[in-house]
Amino acid sequence: MSEEIETDVLIVGAGPCGLTVANLLGVYGIRATLLDRESEILDFPRAVGIDDESLRTYQAAGLVGSLFADMLQNTPIRYHTSWGRCFAHVKPSVQPFGWPRRNLFLQPLYEAVLRQGLARFEQLDVRFGHDLRSFDEDDGGITAQVKGPGGAVNVRAQYLVGADGGRSTARTLAGIELTGTTAPVKWLVVDVCDDELDAPFAAVYCHPLSPVLVVPLPYRHRRFEFKLQPEDDEEEMTRPERVHELLAPHYRSLSMPTVVRSRVYWHHSRVAETFQKGRVFLAGDAAHLQPPFFGQGLNSGVRDATNLSWKLAAVVSGAADRRMLETYDVERRGHARAMVSFATRIGKMYSPRSLAAERARDASFRALQLIPGGREYILQMKYKPMPRYKSGVVVRAGDGRTDPVGRMFMQPVVEKADRRRVKLDDAIGTWFAVLGIHVDPTLHLSEESLQWWKSLGAGFFFVRAARSVPLPEEAGQLAPLPPTGTMTETLEDVDGAFRDWLLAAPRRSIIVLRPDRYVAATCDPAELEDTTRQLRRVMNPGAR
Ligand SMILES: Cc1cc2nc3c(=O)[nH]c(=O)nc-3n(C[C@H](O)[C@H](O)[C@H](O)COP(=O)(O)OP(=O)(O)OC[C@H]3O[C@@H](n4cnc5c(N)ncnc54)[C@H](O)[C@@H]3O)c2cc1C
């Protein structure tokens, strides 16, 4: 007899991407089952870098504190030529989204925190040692056949999320191709601990033949990546004596570290031809694979998870029409492709084809840093491709380079009514938010539109100018902010970030934020009614 399970969302794969989807669905109150064929966290050397966008996701998932505790922030990266000159120095210091842009971590610790997070949600059913074997789709949902430790399990779900890695069973079963290339080169990746090297920066030695990457990690760990030669034998190169030979020049008179893991990787640049087929969605490595040079494989998977989770939650809870889910592929696939090609290009910069190519690269970097803004462009990592959704769950997304619609919104610090200073997302919750700068948005909505926003579960916020209340009776003793008299909460713009926004765009005093903190719409208060109508259409494409 097989075990029968019924759920709303079946998530296959409890790697970073699947765990993120599960935690977010937990926060949104959605019933889900998470499966992984393994019981233990994978112990391969993998991701070491996580970005500010991902940390914002974990802020929403309520896990950022524990994750942040095990990370290093703002570690610089130095790029060296083969003759030892540092030709580029990257050290982002700005925090537009409320978190440092570069954070170094140990993937097994991070996955352990994400696994712990699942226990907070009663409606999540988590099963390790469960292997997806096949599934059938009909008009009402998906029935998946799974092999569990106790025998066969059938899972009936409305939707299936294939977050089962590069060799995704879900992708294969859905008949979706992963198109692209695999580079004919292999890299040896070595993680060490008990590291005594006094080098608190990441270094990339861009040698045409044998480039090397060295990345400091928390708790005296360090990552080394060595490009291998075509004739190098994988087994031979991972022998402890051989690994020791490669590490020795980096430690010289220092004692040698302990090798934790070493493994040879091939680099893939591949993207699935679609991220959705019927009720099946691909996310993370199942949907795209990129060389690890820009440290964005996991981060891209977290972007998928963040984009998909709130959409599934909106549809499963009845707040949006099922066809809205088609915007997942529309919004995510193009950016995933851009990230894959960017990471592939960065890899070419690491190992130029010849000395002439290396000298040309060196000269162009030197020239770039001489032009105004060029140094900042490199230093602050402004070259990172950022998502910009021109279609999907957005209203009136213009073409301009500065149009905020479809981009991730800033995260300044604000003061709540009780005068506590918090990051914006902690003040506005994890779902839709309608912000009015110096205006209460609810006063510009018809009763019908207000009811729609309420049924969606959106929050309303009136952002006051900093210190715009009357002079306090006593110096340094601020009274709580006065209530609005409507359902709208008041916040105070203590960072001045909303003031600057309004100075730049006086007609954008209303901002509609999606749960993933992308801007769905901006408008003048007089246009809020029309903006609401348009957003309703986008979220309910099937409705008349
Ligand atoms: C050397 C290296 C360095 C990297 N560095 C970075 C970095 O610095 N930053 C970054 O962002 N990314 C980096 N990456 C990429 C990153 O590690 C991956 O993108 C990320 O781990 C993918 O997560 P995922 O959840 O999509 O898939 P995975 O981590 O592969 O998880 C998939 C899960 O699905 C399970 N599974 C598979 N098939 C089934 C099935 N049939 N049934 C049930 N379960 C199944 C597997 O057991 C696994 O647990 C690096 C990768 C490598 C190799």
Side-chain angles (χ1 to χ4, degrees), residues 13 16-17 36-37 46-49 107 131-132 169 285 295 297-299:
C17 183
D36 199 292
R37 60 155 69 120
R46 298 200 299 164
V48 289
Q107 188 168 342
D131 190 358
L132 172 76
T169 309
D285 277 16
L298 176 147
N299 289 299

Side-chain angles (χ1 to χ4, degrees), residues 11-20 34-42 44-51 54 102-105 107 110-111 115 127-134 146-147 162-170 173 187-191 215 223-225 263-267 283-302 304:
I11 308 157
V12 183
C17 183
L19 285 166
T20 305
L34 171 67
L35 309 177
D36 199 292
R37 60 155 69 120
E38 305 292 338
S39 299
E40 303 302 322
I41 292 173
L42 291 183
F44 306 151
R46 298 200 299 164
V48 289
I50 189 161
D51 66 16
S54 294
R102 262 178 57 75
N103 306 274
L104 297 174
F105 72 119
Q107 188 168 342
Y110 147 93
E111 287 191 32
R115 283 186 178 208
R127 293 163 180 254
F128 293 104
H130 283 65
D131 190 358
L132 172 76
R133 292 297 172 90
S134 60
V146 173
K147 185 172 179 300
D164 49 348
R167 294 184 185 162
S168 169
T169 309
L173 292 171
W187 287 67
L188 172 68
V189 181
V190 182
D191 282 348
V215 184
R223 157 73 52 90
F224 290 84
E225 297 188 22
R263 201 175 153 99
V264 172
Y265 285 95
W266 295 83
H267 288 169
D285 277 16
H288 42 75
L289 290 172
Q290 58 186 274
F293 300 120
F294 194 49
Q296 281 291 322
L298 176 147
N299 289 299
S300 298
V302 175
D304 299 340

Side-chain angles (χ1 to χ4, degrees), residues 12-172:
V12 183
C17 183
L19 285 166
T20 305
V21 174
N23 274 288
L24 288 173
L25 291 181
V27 168
Y28 300 141
I30 300 299
R31 189 172 60 144
T33 294
L34 171 67
L35 309 177
D36 199 292
R37 60 155 69 120
E38 305 292 338
S39 299
E40 303 302 322
I41 292 173
L42 291 183
D43 196 29
F44 306 151
R46 298 200 299 164
V48 289
I50 189 161
D51 66 16
D52 49 349
E53 298 170 63
S54 294
L55 288 186
R56 196 169 188 180
T57 291
Y58 295 120
Q59 182 184 358
L63 297 172
V64 75
S66 313
L67 291 172
F68 210 52
D70 288 327
M71 289 179 183
L72 300 178
Q73 277 81 48
N74 296 330
T75 309
I77 318 176
R78 295 179 185 171
Y79 293 88
H80 299 272
T81 61
S82 59
W83 54 94
R85 203 181 83 79
C86 175
F87 68 92
H89 181 82
V90 177
K91 188 184 184 307
S93 54
V94 292
Q95 299 192 11
F97 303 131
W99 297 100
R101 299 199 81 183
R102 262 178 57 75
N103 306 274
L104 297 174
F105 72 119
L106 300 171
Q107 188 168 342
L109 289 188
Y110 147 93
E111 287 191 32
V113 169
L114 297 195
R115 283 186 178 208
Q116 287 160 15
L118 304 173
R120 297 171 296 167
F121 307 108
E122 273 183 9
Q123 81 278 15
L124 291 187
D125 168 31
V126 182
R127 293 163 180 254
F128 293 104
H130 283 65
D131 190 358
L132 172 76
R133 292 297 172 90
S134 60
F135 65 78
D136 310 296
E137 181 174 340
D138 56 49
D139 288 347
I142 298 265
T143 307
Q145 291 78 41
V146 173
K147 185 172 179 300
V153 182
N154 290 329
V155 188
R156 179 73 181 161
Q158 293 190 48
Y159 300 103
L160 185 151
V161 178
D164 49 348
R167 294 184 185 162
S168 169
T169 309
R171 187 185 66 228
T172 308

